[in-house]
Amino acid sequence: APLFSRATYLIDPQGRVVNSWLAAEAPGISVYLLENGDLLRPSRPNNPLFAIGGVGGRIERYDWNGALQWSYQYSTTTECQHHDVHYMPNGNVLFIAWHVKTAEDAIAAGRSQKRLLNGRLLPDKIVEVQPTGPTTAQVVWEWTVWDHLIQDFDSTKANFGDVGAHPELVDVNYPPLDRIGGGIDDWMHSNGVSYNAQLDQIILSVRHFNEFWILDHSTTTAEAASHTGGRSGHGGDLLYRWGNPEAYRAGTPADRRLFEQHNADWIAPGLPGAGNVLVFNNGLERPGAPHSSVVEVT
């Protein structure tokens, strides 16, 4: 799915085009062929409030013959789908979205004024919707990082605490200003989401933290906003994080293993390394000669 084309191509191992689809809008980064031959893709309706790399805003499903079956817009003045979507076994669709927080909101959450270079903050959320009609869907589950913040910058705020003692929470003042993503509104830039049905867990690639996170999906939305509940008993707190211990004060830059990565996902059952995580490690900010790599993590 070329980024600046409205066409999507299915290509066989010999490079021959097996099928193609033509849409009204360019793709919003990801595209998936479903088991029945349908195409699932985010697209990019024009929303000048979210002129950021990876922007989407609409999720579409086409049948094999190119007929549009479902078109659901999640792009407003305060929220916008971006980067990735995931088709779930029950037919629901999981996706990443930005939601707008003002400078006042961010400062109230302990964000340093110096880290508000764009005058706002765009924390990420994960949304699960159930399609209900050709252009409609019902939100059935939601998680937002905003419910799981910690900081040691402003002791007057309720979420003030020891960042290093709480790796299950997210430092609202990371990354530092001298790193990619430091101080900008798109401070997380999550770029991949996937679901593990066996574990009922979600994996999220968080580019500007140089980590992937694992979350409990067995929670209710209310539990996902808390620190208890679900199969894990930890609500929506992070169950696991890997790639950059510095983000939670457990290491130094020398301990960093991921460098602006994309697309963390579990290896499927029946394949070598089943249950491990594969992630594309882009290599930006990597010491020495920049290069990309693929990392497998047990």
Side-chain angles (χ1 to χ4, degrees):
L3 273 182
F4 299 102
S5 170
R6 296 183 294 115
T8 301
Y9 304 95
L10 180 65
I11 302 171
D12 74 8
Q14 285 73 45
R16 298 171 299 199
V17 175
V18 176
N19 198 14
S20 62
W21 296 261
L22 186 63
E25 297 165 336
I29 303 296
S30 61
V31 60
Y32 294 97
L33 184 69
L34 305 184
E35 288 186 5
N36 71 343
D38 284 4
L39 188 79
L40 183 70
R41 71 189 289 274
S43 67
R44 300 201 301 268
N46 181 37
N47 187 339
L49 297 175
F50 295 95
I52 303 169
V55 66
R58 197 188 322 274
I59 305 171
E60 301 173 329
R61 181 171 179 167
Y62 291 84
D63 69 16
W64 179 261
N65 297 315
L68 183 61
Q69 304 294 305
W70 182 61
S71 178
Y72 172 66
Q73 182 159 322
Y74 198 90
S75 179
T76 67
T77 58
T78 59
E79 297 179 310
C80 188
Q81 180 273 333
H82 67 91
H83 279 92
D84 201 15
V85 299
H86 182 87
Y87 186 74
M88 303 183 73
N90 62 3
N92 292 352
V93 177
L94 202 67
F95 60 87
I96 312 167
W98 292 300
H99 60 122
V100 176
K101 295 293 182 181
T102 65
E104 291 75 20
D105 294 332
I107 290 169
R111 178 86 166 178
S112 165
Q113 178 77 51
K114 293 180 180 178
R115 287 175 163 83
L116 289 168
L117 300 179
N118 304 112
R120 65 175 186 174
L121 206 59
L122 298 176
D124 282 326
K125 66 196 301 188
I126 302 173
V127 183
E128 179 184 350
V129 297
Q130 179 183 38
T132 55
T135 61
T136 58
Q138 177 183 357
V139 175
V140 296
W141 186 86
E142 198 169 272
W143 173 92
T144 173
V145 71
W146 206 248
D147 296 320
H148 303 279
L149 300 178
I150 191 169
Q151 51 85 27
D152 56 8
F153 170 74
D154 188 342
S155 62
T156 68
K157 301 299 187 288
N159 62 355
F160 181 81
D162 183 348
V163 173
H166 292 281
E168 77 280 7
L169 301 177
V170 176
D171 184 0
V172 73
N173 286 302
Y174 194 87
L177 290 171
D178 61 349
R179 305 283 176 79
I180 294 174
I184 66 172
D185 53 2
D186 182 23
W187 67 295
M188 292 172 61
H189 198 85
S190 299
N191 55 28
V193 66
S194 192
Y195 174 69
N196 186 313
Q198 286 73 37
L199 300 174
D200 204 4
Q201 294 175 356
I202 292 169
I203 194 166
L204 183 70
S205 170
V206 189
R207 180 181 188 258
H208 289 162
F209 277 67
N210 304 289
E211 298 182 295
F212 63 80
W213 300 344
I214 293 178
L215 308 166
D216 189 349
H217 176 264
S218 71
T219 57
T220 64
T221 294
E223 289 171 337
S226 76
H227 310 290
T228 59
R231 182 184 295 180
S232 70
H234 294 287
D237 287 346
L238 309 191
L239 301 183
Y240 186 81
R241 60 197 303 180
W242 193 91
N244 183 22
E246 184 191 35
Y248 49 100
R249 311 288 172 80
T252 70
D255 299 305
R256 182 172 163 187
R257 294 293 177 265
L258 293 180
F259 300 90
E260 309 300 324
Q261 80 292 333
H262 283 71
N263 200 37
D265 202 355
W266 284 277
I267 299 176
L271 298 177
N276 293 346
V277 172
L278 276 181
V279 56
F280 184 79
N281 199 13
N282 288 68
L284 297 174
E285 297 184 326
R286 187 195 293 270
H291 62 277
S292 298
S293 59
V294 177
V295 178
E296 181 178 351
V297 184
T298 58

